[in-house]
């Protein structure tokens, strides 16, 4: 298929910081962006050529949107699958509904990883308190964690079951939503693979990244992750298998737990994000092609860019809530790359921006 040339318009569903950074990357390539989002104060509006404020379920507005853009994508995985299916009947949407449906359900994610031969935590579908009691009575390991199957992120929609007596409170926290019970994984680190797959099946991954969380929110990412080369290669291979299985087009992330086992590291797939990812923000300054440009390239049908590094290593620090108020100090720091998301209110726990730094040597 012919690539969409400069001057074409990329439709982006979602107007948050990821949509904003996608629009900025598209502009660098001579491509226009049209943001579609229900929130009137969406930060991506500020950097896009045009925008639509409407609900994702508004088919009349979606039909107009489809006439105004050449190809569409989305910035987060909670876009309704029906929205992507509606648009896909009119214009190309990349990645497609198949990948979105998989990533929206933790059962689907875990089942796909197992189908492809990857390891995961033990898991079981839970649709009622009776289901939970039955699974625990049959010997499912405690401690464990109960999660909603859909719409959870940054630690939301989760409840720990540290002892059998915690089960009822955990189910109450799920508010009767379809859930998944997962065993605890005794991991020493969490890493992610951020990669892209093009229309022709070309696959390229950035260096595996190690991630540190605070209060269930990503705090710091460093690349390359301090892993043995064979473990890093295995993580990338698993990501490629998942992308092929889903006929994926665009950038995505696979999160892994690193589990020690008799002196060796084992990989456990945690979850998938069908979009550009917070743990890939370091690529904006640390890689020859940022994850945002790479996604736009894939969506527009262009060749993928190089994933090589600009320095031996790179780090990203999220600026959460009032952290953004240190912007002058960061701006004065030699070698710091400051990225502000254009959000007005610095609420606790809200991602307001990030700072990247290049490292003179590989992380140890």
């Amino acid at each position: 298929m012919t690539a969409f040339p400069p001057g074409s318009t990329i439709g982006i569903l979602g107007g948050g910081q990821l949509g904003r950074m996608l629009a900025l990357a598209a502009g660098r390539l001579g491509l226009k962006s049209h943001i579609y989002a229900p929130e009137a104060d969406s930060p991506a509006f500020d950097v896009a050529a045009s925008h639509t404020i409407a609900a994702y379920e508004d088919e009349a507005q979606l039909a107009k949107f489809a006439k105004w853009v050449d190809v569409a994508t989305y910035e987060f995985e909670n876009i309704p699958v029906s929205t992507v299916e509606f648009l896909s009947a009119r214009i190309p949407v990349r990645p497609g509904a198949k990948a979105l449906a998989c990533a929206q359900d933790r059962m689907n994610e875990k089942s796909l990883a197992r189908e492809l031969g990857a390891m995961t935590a033990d898991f079981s579908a839970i649709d009622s308190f009776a289901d939970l009691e039955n699974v625990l009575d049959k010997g499912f390991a405690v401690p464990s964690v109960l999660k909603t199957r859909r719409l959870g992120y940054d630690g939301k929609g989760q409840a720990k079951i540290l002892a059998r007596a915690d089960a009822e409170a955990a189910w109450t926290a799920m508010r009767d939503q379809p859930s998944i019970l997962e065993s605890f994984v005794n991991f020493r680190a969490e890493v992610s693979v951020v990669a892209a797959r093009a229309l022709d099946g070309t696959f390229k991954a950035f260096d595996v990244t190690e991630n540190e969380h605070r209060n269930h929110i990503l705090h710091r990412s460093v690349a390359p992750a301090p892993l043995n080369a064979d473990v890093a290669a295995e993580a990338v291979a698993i990501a490629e298998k998942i992308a092929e299985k889903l006929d994926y087009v665009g950038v995505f992330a696979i999160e892994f737990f690193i589990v020690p086992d008799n002196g060796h590291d084992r990989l456990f797939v945690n979850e998938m994000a069908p979009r550009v990812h917070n743990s890939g923000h370091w690529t904006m300054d640390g890689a020859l092609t940022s994850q945002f440009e790479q996604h736009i390239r894939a969506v527009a049908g262009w060749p993928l860019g190089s994933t090589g590094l600009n320095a031996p290593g790179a780090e990203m620090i999220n600026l959460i809530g009032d952290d953004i108020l240190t912007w002058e100090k960061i701006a004065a720091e030699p070698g710091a790359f400051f990225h502000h998301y254009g959000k007005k209110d610095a609420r606790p726990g809200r991602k307001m921006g990030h700072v990247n730094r290049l490292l003179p040597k590989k992380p140890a």
Side-chain angles (χ1 to χ4, degrees):
M1 180 179 289
T2 303
F4 291 104
S8 301
T9 300
I10 310 293
I12 301 173
L13 297 166
Q17 67 263 21
L18 300 182
R20 179 186 177 96
M21 290 183 275
L22 284 170
L24 288 168
R28 180 174 174 271
L29 300 177
L31 297 162
K32 300 175 184 177
S33 295
H34 184 132
I35 308 295
Y36 186 110
E39 299 86 6
D41 62 347
S42 295
F45 291 171
D46 294 340
V47 300
S50 52
H51 66 264
T52 295
I53 303 173
Y56 295 121
E57 298 80 8
D58 188 335
E59 292 189 351
Q61 290 298 322
L62 288 171
K64 292 179 181 178
F65 175 70
K67 293 179 180 179
W68 293 330
V69 305
D70 296 294
V71 60
T73 188
Y74 41 88
E75 66 138 13
F76 74 123
E77 60 266 47
N78 292 338
I79 300 291
V81 172
S82 59
T83 299
V84 173
E85 291 173 339
F86 180 89
L87 289 173
S88 295
R90 292 158 175 81
I91 54 172
V93 182
R94 300 164 181 160
K98 181 179 179 181
L100 182 62
C102 179
Q104 283 186 351
D105 190 315
R106 288 187 168 105
M107 280 293 298
N108 291 344
E109 288 181 334
K110 292 286 193 298
S111 298
L112 176 62
R114 288 281 185 93
E115 176 189 337
L116 296 176
M119 292 182 289
T120 71
D122 293 332
F123 62 93
S124 180
I126 304 294
D127 294 317
S128 66
F129 181 53
D131 283 351
L132 180 57
E133 287 190 304
N134 184 50
V135 168
L136 291 172
D137 288 343
K138 288 183 177 179
F140 196 97
V142 173
S144 54
V145 59
L146 187 65
K147 303 177 181 179
T148 55
R149 286 175 61 168
R150 301 169 62 85
L151 304 181
Y153 64 96
D154 287 348
K156 297 177 176 64
Q158 301 186 19
K160 293 179 181 178
I161 300 177
L162 301 179
R164 182 67 170 77
D166 297 331
E168 186 171 0
W171 176 250
T172 299
M174 298 302 102
R175 300 181 180 181
D176 290 329
Q177 296 181 74
S179 301
I180 181 173
L181 183 65
E182 297 182 12
S183 63
F184 269 20
V185 176
N186 186 21
F187 63 94
R188 69 165 184 82
E190 182 193 284
V191 301
S192 57
V193 172
V194 176
R197 186 171 181 269
L199 270 174
D200 64 0
T202 301
F203 176 88
K204 290 188 179 182
F206 294 97
D207 280 75
V208 180
T209 304
E210 183 170 356
N211 304 309
E212 174 193 343
H213 290 78
R214 294 183 181 177
N215 300 317
H216 301 289
I217 300 174
L218 181 63
H219 167 64
R220 179 175 183 255
S221 292
V222 294
L227 291 175
N228 288 335
D230 58 338
V231 177
E234 181 185 356
V236 170
I238 291 171
E240 185 170 11
K241 286 182 182 179
I242 291 173
E244 289 177 353
K245 184 70 175 180
L246 295 175
D247 194 23
Y248 196 91
V249 176
V251 165
F252 66 100
I254 306 294
E255 297 178 359
F256 296 88
F257 294 131
I258 303 295
V259 181
D261 182 18
N262 294 321
H264 299 282
D265 284 336
R266 302 173 71 195
L267 289 165
F268 280 61
V269 172
N270 180 29
E271 60 186 32
M272 170 189 177
R275 53 171 172 81
V276 288
H277 195 255
N278 198 170
S279 69
H281 288 358
W282 64 267
T283 64
M284 296 176 76
D285 304 292
L288 295 174
T289 308
S290 77
Q291 65 164 342
F292 299 99
E293 179 180 329
Q294 195 77 300
H295 186 74
I296 294 296
R297 282 172 170 264
V299 167
W302 291 25
L304 297 182
S306 170
T307 56
L309 296 175
N310 285 326
E315 73 166 2
M316 183 279 305
I317 303 289
N318 265 335
L319 301 174
I320 309 295
D322 286 346
D323 292 347
I324 199 68
L325 301 180
T326 64
W327 65 269
E328 281 189 281
K329 180 180 178 181
I330 297 170
E333 179 188 336
F337 298 87
F338 175 60
H339 298 270
H340 194 293
Y341 299 158
K343 298 177 182 179
K344 296 177 182 178
D345 301 320
R347 298 192 297 267
R350 193 182 196 195
K351 295 173 182 175
M352 300 297 296
H354 69 270
V355 57
N356 289 336
R357 296 179 178 90
L358 302 184
L359 304 177
K361 60 182 180 179
K362 292 178 65 175

